Amino acid sequence: APCAHAQMMQPRAKAPRLDYSQYELGFKLLVTPNAAGKIIGRGGQGISTLKKQFGIGCHIHGTENMYPKSGCQIACFFGNCSSIQSCMETLASQLAEAEGANFQGT
């Protein structure tokens, strides 16, 4: 009989592949679950606002697809260069607010 530890281990869910080929720029950012929640917003409102305000796409991998050994989720952003550049200040503010004193951004 397998040991109890082996029974508790579940295979990591396969992350969906996103097709960035139609976008000028795509990048991934590791964010804490708290920061991911801040970006997503209540009922997805945060992502909807980013899409409407800046014309970018955003996908955040769920907690079942955390980046290995990091405790962080993968946030994917894609769009044209100027749209991504425009949203960076808003995104940095959201991350700083979510992480408070722990935020290491400059």
Side-chain angles (χ1 to χ4, degrees):
C3 68
H5 177 71
Q7 290 175 341
M8 291 188 318
M9 293 177 57
Q10 296 293 319
R12 190 167 158 232
K14 187 91 171 149
R17 287 265 181 220
L18 296 174
D19 179 15
Y20 295 109
S21 64
Q22 62 184 336
Y23 302 103
E24 191 173 89
L25 178 67
F27 72 96
K28 295 179 181 182
L29 191 63
L30 295 180
V31 297
T32 64
N34 188 44
K38 188 71 176 170
I39 295 167
I40 294 167
R42 188 176 302 254
Q45 192 61 41
I47 287 181
S48 293
T49 299
L50 285 176
K51 289 178 179 180
K52 289 176 189 169
Q53 187 174 356
F54 300 106
I56 65 161
C58 176
H59 173 78
I60 300 179
H61 293 264
T63 53
E64 71 280 357
N65 286 310
M66 301 284 258
Y67 191 78
K69 301 179 184 176
S70 72
C72 290
Q73 292 173 251
I74 304 167
C76 306
F77 301 90
F78 36 91
N80 64 43
C81 288
S82 61
S83 296
I84 295 290
Q85 187 174 7
S86 296
C87 88
M88 290 307 293
E89 187 174 336
T90 298
L91 190 58
S93 295
Q94 288 177 330
L95 294 174
E97 186 176 321
E99 296 306 314
N102 296 324
F103 187 64
Q104 298 295 313
T106 55

